[in-house]
Amino acid sequence: MKKIIYIWLVKLISKLKHEKKPENIVYLMSFNGNVNFIKELSKLADNKHSLTVLYLPQCQNDANKLNKIGIKTVKFQNNIDFLIHKLPFILNAQLLICDNYYAFLSGIGFDHDKTHVVQIWHANGAVKSFGWDEPQTLKRSKSDKKRFQRVYNQFDEFIVGSTMMGEVFQRSYHISKEKISLLGYPRTDNLFNCKWQSKTLDKIYYRHPELKGKEILLYAPTYREDENHKVKLELPIDLDLILKQLNKNQKLIIKLHPHLIKEEKNLKQRFQDEHLIWIDDFSTNDLLLITDRLITDYSSVIFDYTLLPNAKQIILYCYDFKEYKENIGIQKDFQEWAPGPIVTSEAELNSIIKKPLKRANFDKFNIKWNTFNDGNATERVIKHEENYLHS
């Protein structure tokens, strides 16, 4: 009921404060990691068009970076303050770029001849299902389903790096192929940036010299939720058992999802081992640069890792594969294109870790999922979106 009332208020205010000629550029940010793209987007701002980044609290770090270079950022949450003070920014957007699903969009009556709404998403590919492909969606009420589709229909365009990701959106959001723009995924540009790679590597090895010359295993799993959508505070792996398998030249780094911060603190206190390294001063994306073996599950990190020159092996530790597929949802053809072995037991995982490292060939995977990701996606997207500001 609260959601229904809130969306009704969004609808009411959007009618009352409707802009006849929207002119601004607005970026809705719920995920960190797209600062470089936003910097380039800011170059489209002029005397007529201003850029405002509306961000959720978890993106404070990126908001601080943007503030330092003079880009206007405004924090928001779904509350009354948003309706009164933040929603007007969106209503005055000629170009609105979103990195996620935002429920309040279902209540806004955009004139799509004057406002161009773009979905840029927060991942380069998808293992997990979402939208209509998510099993739980089918169990929702008719009113919920209508509200979901109203949000999906608000997007005029979906920026993707491959036909595969475009097809995921078509199935998940029930949208037409014409809305898919195969321009490349801007966040991947950094993965082709030799200066960024070199600079980041130098920083990592300067602060953590014990990692240089070692075989690095990075364990970066996604999080799980219970039936009430509460995050499960548990690590689905026996660390004691894993650590016993490592040889003198191997180091294990664990990077948990931000939702598992409490669990990470507990693990740091429990596990102190010469093979285990806890790193807080670098992101998962940074650490991919030194990773020889990536151990993950349903995380989208695989789509980024395979683009790096140092990528050698991916192990997909999916101990709950059947349960996850039935309850959360996994792309139906995942097992066909998975970029590494899918293992469902720790015995299988340990067996692979103990074997000498052999470099995998990710060419077929990248052709499928990273088709248009070549380091120049940002430039193409910016030029493309500029057309909507001057049309």
Side-chain angles (χ1 to χ4, degrees):
M1 182 59 73
K2 288 182 180 179
K3 285 184 179 179
I4 294 173
I5 294 173
Y6 189 78
I7 298 300
W8 181 84
L9 288 172
V10 170
K11 189 174 183 179
L12 176 64
I13 292 173
S14 68
K15 284 183 178 180
L16 294 174
K17 297 192 175 184
H18 175 71
E19 292 283 345
K20 291 183 178 180
K21 193 177 180 182
E23 296 179 334
N24 294 341
I25 306 167
V26 177
Y27 185 101
L28 287 177
M29 183 166 68
S30 66
F31 280 83
N32 289 308
N34 218 11
V35 168
N36 289 337
F37 172 76
I38 297 172
K39 284 181 183 178
E40 293 303 311
L41 184 66
S42 70
K43 294 177 182 179
L44 297 182
D46 50 29
N47 293 332
K48 183 179 179 182
H49 306 97
S50 64
L51 170 65
T52 302
V53 177
L54 295 181
Y55 70 97
L56 290 174
Q58 64 263 28
C59 297
Q60 189 62 59
N61 287 340
D62 273 13
N64 293 340
K65 293 176 185 177
L66 294 170
N67 284 333
K68 286 181 181 179
I69 58 174
I71 294 176
K72 182 178 181 179
T73 65
V74 178
K75 186 188 294 185
F76 81 95
Q77 288 178 288
N78 288 317
N79 51 28
I80 297 300
D81 178 69
F82 170 78
L83 296 173
I84 298 172
H85 299 111
K86 315 299 169 57
L87 183 57
F89 285 106
I90 297 169
L91 298 176
N92 193 30
Q94 184 179 352
L95 176 62
L96 175 63
I97 300 179
C98 311
D99 72 353
N100 208 340
Y101 168 98
Y102 293 92
F104 62 78
L105 290 177
S106 68
I108 300 178
F110 289 118
D111 180 344
H112 288 272
D113 289 329
K114 298 177 180 178
T115 299
H116 188 65
V117 186
V118 181
Q119 176 58 259
I120 204 164
W121 207 237
H122 48 271
N124 183 32
V127 176
K128 291 185 279 188
S129 298
F130 58 90
W132 290 108
D133 263 5
E134 187 179 347
Q136 300 304 317
T137 300
L138 301 177
K139 301 176 183 178
R140 301 294 290 266
S141 67
K142 286 185 178 180
S143 60
D144 283 346
K145 292 175 181 177
K146 285 182 179 180
R147 186 175 71 251
F148 298 157
Q149 193 60 49
R150 280 200 298 271
V151 175
Y152 306 154
N153 290 342
Q154 291 283 32
F155 300 112
D156 299 300
E157 182 179 26
F158 294 77
I159 304 295
V160 296
S162 67
T163 300
M164 286 287 285
M165 191 56 179
E167 290 174 353
V168 170
F169 275 119
Q170 287 173 245
R171 292 194 307 270
S172 304
Y173 278 10
H174 288 179
I175 52 100
S176 68
K177 184 179 180 180
E178 287 67 36
K179 287 190 174 186
I180 303 299
S181 291
L182 299 168
L183 298 169
Y185 186 63
R187 289 174 194 244
T188 62
D189 283 357
N190 230 22
L191 303 175
F192 294 87
N193 188 326
C194 294
K195 288 184 179 179
W196 170 78
Q197 291 177 19
S198 179
K199 188 176 180 181
T200 304
L201 283 172
D202 288 344
K203 284 183 179 179
I204 292 173
Y205 289 135
Y206 176 77
R207 296 181 194 176
H208 304 278
E210 71 276 15
L211 298 176
K212 199 161 190 175
K214 301 296 182 180
E215 180 187 304
I216 305 300
L217 293 81
L218 175 63
Y219 181 45
T222 189
Y223 66 95
R224 269 76 170 168
E225 294 180 341
D226 59 24
E227 294 177 355
N228 298 313
H229 295 287
K230 290 185 178 180
V231 176
K232 293 182 179 179
L233 298 178
E234 60 183 31
L235 187 69
I237 198 169
D238 187 339
L239 268 184
D240 283 319
L241 189 61
I242 295 294
L243 292 170
K244 287 178 182 178
Q245 310 300 321
L246 302 184
N247 62 46
K248 293 181 180 179
N249 193 51
Q250 293 175 313
K251 296 287 185 182
L252 174 65
I253 300 173
I254 298 177
K255 290 296 283 187
L256 300 183
H257 192 280
H259 289 346
L260 296 170
I261 291 176
K262 291 181 181 178
E263 177 63 12
E264 187 170 304
K265 288 180 180 179
N266 294 333
L267 288 171
K268 286 178 181 177
Q269 294 174 352
R270 285 172 53 203
F271 293 96
Q272 299 293 326
D273 188 279
E274 62 176 330
H275 295 295
L276 179 60
I277 310 293
W278 295 99
I279 297 182
D280 297 322
D281 48 347
F282 290 95
S283 68
T284 300
N285 207 49
D286 293 335
L287 294 174
L288 290 178
L289 282 170
I290 61 168
T291 298
D292 297 294
R293 301 185 196 235
L294 173 63
I295 305 171
T296 186
D297 41 27
Y298 316 105
S299 172
S300 62
V301 70
I302 61 174
F303 302 100
D304 295 333
Y305 179 63
T306 57
L307 287 171
L308 292 170
N310 59 286
K312 297 182 182 72
Q313 185 183 65
I314 295 175
I315 308 171
L316 298 154
Y317 176 49
C318 305
Y319 70 97
D320 57 351
F321 187 85
K322 186 177 179 181
E323 176 190 353
Y324 203 95
K325 187 175 183 179
E326 292 176 354
N327 297 324
I328 306 300
I330 299 171
Q331 299 300 324
K332 294 177 182 178
D333 54 353
F334 174 52
Q335 289 170 287
E336 296 174 20
W337 51 257
I342 300 174
V343 300
T344 56
S345 71
E346 287 184 332
E348 291 177 284
L349 176 60
N350 288 327
S351 176
I352 295 175
I353 290 174
K354 285 193 292 185
K355 292 177 182 178
L357 178 61
K358 289 185 179 180
R359 192 182 192 105
N361 188 323
F362 298 117
D363 289 348
K364 288 184 179 180
F365 178 81
N366 284 331
I367 288 171
K368 206 176 266 285
W369 282 99
N370 284 306
T371 323
F372 299 91
N373 296 325
D374 56 4
N376 302 303
T378 294
E379 182 182 354
R380 286 194 295 270
V381 173
I382 296 298
K383 284 183 179 179
H384 178 73
E385 300 308 334
E386 186 176 13
N387 294 329
Y388 292 100
L389 293 177
H390 302 294
S391 59

